[in-house]
């Protein structure tokens, strides 16, 4: 069975600090896909990134970066120079390779950026 | 930019009543999904739909639930006889321009069962 664990329930930092959100996953699939979604206070789910299991290159997009380490089954998300607008719940998710493939979500990490 | 839309944004119903939640996926997408999120909890998969049939469903998706794509644009979730525990945010998602599809979510419908 697939499982995603986000051990950090809540994180609170001061604006401009860097913050890393942890994600650890379990799967028996040899090919799988990892995702991060942002859920702002308005409630919608915003797609941030998708990563394939065979591509362990880290990715940077502006202030966001993702560190994928297959050896530790982790897919961590770092926000550099955080801003108040980054305040949201962040979900890590996993899907397999076959068919329409459901997303299995972690419990989410509530990130609060204080001014 | 194309987006998934859902109506209504909030639905209040009495226990035992039928509700239909509506979604308009992104137009060239082929895969459609429903998820739900009970307040303060994680997002849970309900059902996926491809090629006009259910491709996978979770144990939550029992006989009280059904999905339909009645025309080329809408995707609906019906709950036949709502229970208190069905109160949740219901998200529709669609995907299809890549494989496996990256899923793009609608804004959600908050269902409150009284």
């Amino acid at each position: 069975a697939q499982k995603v664990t986000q051990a950090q329930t809540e994180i609170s930092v001061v604006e401009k600090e860097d913050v890393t959100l942890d994600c650890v996953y379990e799967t028996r699939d040899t090919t799988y896909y990892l995702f991060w979604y942002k859920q702002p206070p308005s409630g919608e789910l915003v797609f941030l990134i998708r990563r394939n299991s065979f591509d362990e290159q880290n990715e940077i997009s502006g202030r966001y970066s993702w560190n994928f380490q297959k050896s530790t089954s982790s897919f961590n998300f770092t926000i550099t120079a955080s801003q108040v607008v980054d305040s949201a719940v962040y979900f890590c998710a996993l899907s397999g390779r076959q068919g329409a493939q459901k997303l299995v979500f972690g419990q989410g990490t509530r990130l609060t950026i204080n001014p | 930019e194309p987006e998934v839309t859902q109506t209504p944004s909030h639905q209040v119903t009495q226990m035992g009543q039928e509700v239909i939640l509506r979604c308009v996926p992104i137009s060239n997408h082929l895969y459609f999904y429903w998820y739900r999120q009970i307040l303060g909890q994680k997002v849970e998969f309900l059902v996926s739909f491809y090629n006009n049939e259910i491709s996978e469903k979770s144990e939550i998706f029992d006989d009280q639930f059904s999905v339909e794509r009645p025309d080329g644009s809408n995707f609906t979730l019906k709950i036949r006889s709502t229970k208190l525990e069905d109160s949740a945010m219901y998200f529709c998602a669609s995907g299809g321009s890549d494989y496996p599809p990256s899923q793009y979510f609608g804004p959600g419908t908050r269902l409150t069962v009284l």
Side-chain angles (χ1 to χ4, degrees):
Chain A
Q2 297 177 325
K3 185 178 176 184
V4 176
T5 301
Q6 295 179 255
Q8 304 151 308
T9 308
E10 293 192 34
I11 299 175
S12 181
V13 300
V14 176
E15 203 172 14
K16 296 182 185 173
E17 283 186 23
D18 299 348
V19 57
T20 295
L21 310 181
D22 298 333
C23 172
V24 174
Y25 61 90
E26 295 174 31
T27 180
R28 290 184 184 155
D29 292 343
T30 53
T31 301
Y32 50 90
Y33 300 81
L34 296 161
F35 303 81
W36 276 93
Y37 285 85
K38 175 182 180 179
Q39 187 174 43
S42 48
E44 72 272 25
L45 285 164
V46 179
F47 169 79
L48 295 178
I49 190 171
R50 158 201 166 117
R51 209 82 187 121
N52 305 328
S53 58
F54 44 86
D55 182 1
E56 287 192 69
Q57 263 194 322
N58 291 331
E59 182 151 343
I60 298 174
S61 176
R63 295 183 298 107
Y64 294 172
S65 62
W66 290 270
N67 183 296
F68 176 32
Q69 292 203 337
K70 222 167 173 177
S71 59
T72 56
S73 298
S74 65
F75 185 45
N76 297 337
F77 173 29
T78 298
I79 301 175
T80 304
S82 59
Q83 300 176 1
V84 172
V85 293
D86 296 327
S87 296
V89 180
Y90 290 86
F91 290 96
C92 181
L94 168 70
S95 79
R97 184 172 177 267
Q98 301 301 323
Q101 280 307 312
K102 65 184 181 187
L103 289 172
V104 174
F105 283 83
Q107 293 283 357
T109 297
R110 180 176 298 279
L111 177 63
T112 303
I113 310 297
N114 299 299
Chain B
E1 188 172 322
E3 57 184 22
V4 178
T5 60
Q6 290 185 244
T7 54
S9 56
H10 191 188
Q11 172 106 36
V12 181
T13 190
Q14 295 290 325
M15 191 169 58
Q17 295 295 305
E18 174 183 287
V19 295
I20 297 176
L21 310 183
R22 291 185 166 80
C23 168
V24 178
I26 295 172
S27 63
N28 63 342
H29 282 184
L30 303 173
Y31 298 86
F32 313 107
Y33 310 80
W34 284 100
Y35 291 80
R36 79 171 186 189
Q37 184 183 30
I38 294 170
L39 187 63
Q41 297 188 21
K42 68 178 178 181
V43 180
E44 300 174 290
F45 169 77
L46 291 178
V47 65
S48 58
F49 193 86
Y50 171 71
N51 203 24
N52 284 320
E53 61 182 21
I54 290 174
S55 50
E56 188 175 357
K57 58 184 180 179
S58 71
E59 58 270 19
I60 302 169
F61 194 88
D62 61 22
D63 292 344
Q64 294 298 313
F65 291 86
S66 62
V67 289
E68 200 176 37
R69 189 158 159 80
D71 53 40
S73 59
N74 291 287
F75 181 50
T76 62
L77 174 69
K78 182 193 290 185
I79 309 174
R80 287 191 186 80
S81 178
T82 49
K83 306 183 186 87
L84 295 176
E85 54 265 36
D86 293 327
S87 294
M89 181 75 93
Y90 287 81
F91 290 102
C92 172
S94 72
S97 55
D98 51 1
Y99 188 82
S102 293
Q103 296 175 34
Y104 294 86
F105 285 75
T109 292
R110 179 162 297 286
L111 176 65
T112 302
V113 182
L114 302 175

